[in-house]
Amino acid sequence: MKYLTSILSFSLIILLSTSVKAQEETSSNDIPKNYKKRSPIYDYSEKNLNNTDTIPDFLAQKNKLKITGTIYENDGVTPAKNILLYIEQSDEEGNFELKRHNKKRYVHHRGWVRTNNDGKYTLYTFVPGSYFYGKELKQIYPVVKEPNKPEYKIETFLFDDDPSLTGKCRTKVEETNPQRILKLDKTEGLWIATRDIILGKEIESY
């Protein structure tokens, strides 16, 4: 059993490493005219995105996190297919590591998924630190792109055990969209959380 577990763990590491490498490769030398100003949701390098992605540096992080969920149509029941979901976040210290590609700056810790017919997605990332000297909430910042519609930001992913998520702030989130708050469970060294998304219901308003 221990041998089988080791083999499975090694296979997972190879899979995740390959995903990260694919994300960082450049797929085309053609740079759109609006490249610098457009949303980073369009800057993915894989030609064929799928519903699973891995954030850069995942394997080196202390608080590894697997987020799964389903994206639904506006009715909250029908799984939404072919939806592009982009996230970016700070590192574990709360700093946004910036890099540059084709003279455009971007957040290093980011990822993209595109839902299949079942509307499901999976992101391998890590728990971000608190920005601005621990005074801000720990957050993951998402952007959604529906077919034939402009991209838009949705409400951030928050964390149930975040000491900054208290009082009126927590109450407001729990009353308006409790799905935003990720409740973490740990399994074999990996934090697990779920966040379902309903299109058109979670557009960022602030």
Side-chain angles (χ1 to χ4, degrees), residues 3-188:
Y3 176 76
L4 178 58
T5 301
S6 298
I7 292 297
L8 292 175
S9 299
F10 179 74
S11 299
L12 177 62
I13 291 173
I14 294 298
L15 174 63
L16 297 178
S17 298
T18 302
S19 176
V20 171
K21 181 178 180 182
Q23 175 177 290
E24 295 178 344
E25 289 179 349
T26 302
S27 62
S28 174
N29 292 323
D30 297 326
I31 303 175
K33 292 181 179 179
N34 66 339
Y35 174 73
K36 290 185 180 180
K37 295 183 178 180
R38 72 181 185 180
S39 168
I41 194 172
Y42 300 106
D43 294 345
Y44 56 89
S45 57
E46 298 101 322
K47 292 182 179 179
N48 297 305
L49 290 177
N50 58 43
N51 66 350
T52 301
D53 197 17
T54 304
I55 300 298
D57 303 331
F58 168 79
L59 295 174
Q61 305 306 308
K62 295 179 181 178
N63 293 304
K64 297 178 180 64
L65 171 63
K66 177 184 178 183
I67 304 174
T68 61
T70 303
I71 300 180
Y72 294 99
E73 298 288 357
N74 186 264
D75 60 11
V77 177
T78 307
K81 64 180 180 179
N82 199 30
I83 302 300
L84 184 59
L85 172 64
Y86 165 83
I87 66 166
E88 62 183 29
Q89 65 180 80
S90 68
D91 61 22
E92 290 188 315
E93 302 301 321
N95 300 312
F96 288 89
E97 183 179 346
L98 299 179
K99 294 201 171 186
R100 189 181 296 274
H101 181 67
N102 291 328
K103 298 181 179 181
K104 179 179 180 178
R105 297 177 72 188
Y106 66 91
V107 176
H108 177 55
H109 296 112
R110 60 181 183 169
W112 298 261
V113 289
R114 190 187 299 277
T115 60
N116 294 334
N117 291 339
D118 57 9
K120 296 186 182 300
Y121 72 91
T122 298
L123 289 161
Y124 289 93
T125 181
F126 54 90
V127 179
S130 181
Y131 184 58
F132 200 63
Y133 305 105
K135 297 180 180 180
E136 297 290 334
L137 294 170
K138 297 178 181 179
Q139 301 183 74
I140 294 176
Y141 299 85
V143 180
V144 163
K145 173 70 173 68
E146 302 179 45
N148 303 315
K149 292 184 180 181
E151 77 284 355
Y152 57 90
K153 295 179 181 179
I154 63 172
E155 295 172 322
T156 58
F157 293 50
L158 304 175
F159 294 84
D160 186 55
D161 61 353
D162 187 347
S164 296
L165 184 59
T166 58
K168 292 182 180 180
C169 179
R170 176 181 283 272
T171 299
K172 180 179 179 181
V173 174
E174 290 177 341
E175 289 177 347
T176 57
N177 185 11
Q179 278 285 338
R180 290 180 63 189
I181 304 177
L182 302 183
K183 296 182 178 180
L184 307 184
D185 292 315
K186 202 163 193 177
T187 303
E188 297 182 355

